[in-house]
Amino acid sequence: MTPKLNFYDPERRPWPHSRLERTSIVGHTTPRSVRLWFRVSSPGNYVLAVSREPLPTYGRPLVVAENDRYQLRAIASDRCEQVPTVAIAAVEMTPTTDLTGVVDLDRLEPDTLYYYGLFHPHRDRPWELPEDEPLTFRTFPETATEICFGIYSCHMPYDNRELVNIHMWDAFYRELNNANARLVLGTGDQVYVDGTPELSIWHWLRKVQDHNPSREQMVEWYRDIYRGYWGIPEVQRIFRGFPNYMMWDDHEIVDGWGSYTRDELAGVLDVSWKLRDRERHLRLAHQMFDAAKQVYHEYQHSHNPPTDDAENRFDYEFDCAFCSFFVLDMRGNHDFNRKEWGALGVQQWQRVQQWLDSHYQSDSRALFIISPVPIVHLYSFFINNIDLTLMGYQDDQRDHWEHRSNWDERNCLLDKLFEFSQETGKPVVFLSGDVHIGAAFTLSHDRFPEAKIYQLTSSGITYAELTPFGRWLLEQLVPERGTLGDRQGNPPYHFRKLAICRQNNFGIVRAIVREDGEVAIVYDLYGNDPNSPKETQKIRIEFDRLS
């Protein structure tokens, strides 16, 4: 009898909370358009309604055309209410994409609040969303003098099977609203497919690998992870209320993906009492990567700005008023075994150059580069000279831009950015996660004394694995100032640490056009207060006021 290979089992392996059934995500937004993502509870043909007025989500909805405009009528036994809509769209939800789908809306007005809802016209209880609170989104402004947004990474809120640190999502939501944030950036590890042993699909694969699980079964495992990690109401509230831009990192695939040798990757599926079957293990690992890529597209990338699937591209760019963003894919093309361009790949690097060149004469005043792994983090000596292979941390060292295998690629990127900032006067800001510490740095180089290059890191919002000693140790490995590692004879890049937070954290970034026309960058780093559970402490760094 063939055993069941389902990862999720409601009796033997239940999640410690309800799994995601239905929700929405506000995705890529412009002044006149929005991309909305949905997951629904059952297959079918749904209708999306969008209005400037709150939607009457009771009774039976009916869409009627009046004077070339659509009206939504909500009909119940005791009342009938009608609202004008600005958009009505049909969307079919099927199991092919795990009951997820996106709807693109255009011809909207800039800087305008809209209400939205989803219903199934042929059900007894038609309204799928919203379930309780109204659902809204706001389009981007065409012009502004201040843009504010949130950054976070490393959502892993499980201590064994206990759910912890969820108050950080509540605090994040509160501060986003207080700051009138325009968007939210998830800079990697929005889920952990290999978090705790009980909730790791790679632990599960090791157990069932002899039964040759299919790619389709692996896809279901990854979907189970997303439905678990995103089943938390506090997470969904941010996804539903702000434009969300996301990029994957290793834990959406497996810890250290792209930073292993082939033997090390095969070893991820080793069990101690069996001889390694290298080629079979590599085949299984790459099947898992293909499954991870499909599900990442379903749950995350599908609501980002569209990219060409034929190019196998996940990096992307977008604008919000005077700010421009380029989101790097540090995993889809990452291969430590490739001798050149092992982190980004040649084609992605060419797109970065084209994007940067286009902003020499553009109206953008500040550039942000989302690099899931930060440019500056630990001591170069520790990254490059301490062998942690026996502890299984060699992949973490190779992940870093500071690892010598990435120096040449990193230098190409920094050279281009420093030259750009020197010539234009525009600040360039790296936004990162990954490292389980929040931090802020300035970078400098003797050849580009007027360049304004910054590194802002937020990690992780709910990560629960580090002990207080582990957090303290990580903090000691982050230098106050120094130079980046480099080839002999190359003039080095310098850095200076401005702030660090070793607690769970998230960040609020402000870009402000001052009266003199210069752009100031302000970073508020909110960390969990170790002395007051469920409270946060704020560190503010104002880059235009640095001496």
Side-chain angles (χ1 to χ4, degrees), residues 202-220:
W202 284 77
H203 276 259
W204 180 238
L205 174 60
R206 280 194 286 271
K207 291 181 179 179
V208 302
Q209 61 181 295
D210 288 343
H211 299 289
N212 294 315
S214 66
R215 181 186 180 281
E216 289 71 24
Q217 289 168 321
M218 294 175 177
V219 165
E220 289 303 316

Side-chain angles (χ1 to χ4, degrees), residues 446-518:
D446 295 341
R447 287 196 296 128
F448 308 103
E450 302 301 319
K452 305 169 186 176
I453 311 292
Y454 313 131
Q455 168 71 63
L456 310 181
T457 306
S458 174
S459 175
I461 187 166
T462 57
Y463 189 77
E465 285 288 283
L466 276 178
T467 64
F469 175 76
R471 295 182 183 277
W472 175 85
L473 182 60
L474 264 181
E475 183 178 7
Q476 308 314 304
L477 294 174
V478 181
E480 292 291 331
R481 61 177 67 227
T483 60
L484 298 181
D486 211 335
R487 310 294 180 195
Q488 189 172 3
N490 284 351
Y493 285 93
H494 305 271
F495 63 85
R496 174 188 169 197
K497 182 177 74 178
L498 303 178
I500 194 164
C501 174
R502 71 186 190 210
Q503 310 302 325
N504 294 102
N505 61 83
F506 58 84
I508 303 288
V509 183
R510 288 177 174 83
I512 306 166
V513 181
R514 302 182 311 197
E515 292 184 359
D516 61 4
E518 295 296 311

Side-chain angles (χ1 to χ4, degrees), residues 20-35:
L20 175 66
E21 184 179 56
R22 69 189 81 181
T23 196
S24 61
I25 298 176
V26 181
H28 176 47
T29 303
T30 74
R32 298 189 179 275
S33 67
V34 70
R35 171 169 276 196

Side-chain angles (χ1 to χ4, degrees), residues 101-119:
V102 296
V103 180
D104 289 305
L105 302 176
D106 56 14
R107 292 182 290 182
L108 304 176
E109 294 298 319
D111 200 13
T112 300
L113 181 70
Y114 292 93
Y115 295 82
Y116 69 98
L118 193 72
F119 64 88

Side-chain angles (χ1 to χ4, degrees), residues 390-408:
L390 292 179
M391 300 177 65
Y393 292 140
Q394 73 278 15
D395 58 298
D396 297 284
Q397 293 172 296
R398 296 168 188 161
D399 273 352
H400 285 275
W401 282 108
E402 185 60 9
H403 192 269
R404 61 171 54 89
S405 64
N406 299 318
W407 284 351
D408 294 338

Side-chain angles (χ1 to χ4, degrees), residues 256-261 264 331 334 336 394-396 398-399:
W257 180 266
S259 291
Y260 294 115
T261 66
E264 289 167 346
R331 292 298 165 182
H334 194 167
F336 171 72
Q394 73 278 15
D395 58 298
D396 297 284
R398 296 168 188 161
D399 273 352

Side-chain angles (χ1 to χ4, degrees), residues 175-224:
E175 298 302 335
L176 288 168
N177 279 295
N178 290 342
N180 189 29
R182 292 293 182 171
L183 60 103
V184 175
L185 290 163
T187 62
D189 298 337
Q190 279 74 247
V191 299
Y192 277 67
V193 303
D194 53 358
T196 65
E198 299 88 349
L199 299 176
S200 168
I201 59 176
W202 284 77
H203 276 259
W204 180 238
L205 174 60
R206 280 194 286 271
K207 291 181 179 179
V208 302
Q209 61 181 295
D210 288 343
H211 299 289
N212 294 315
S214 66
R215 181 186 180 281
E216 289 71 24
Q217 289 168 321
M218 294 175 177
V219 165
E220 289 303 316
W221 300 348
Y222 277 97
R223 289 170 173 171
D224 285 340

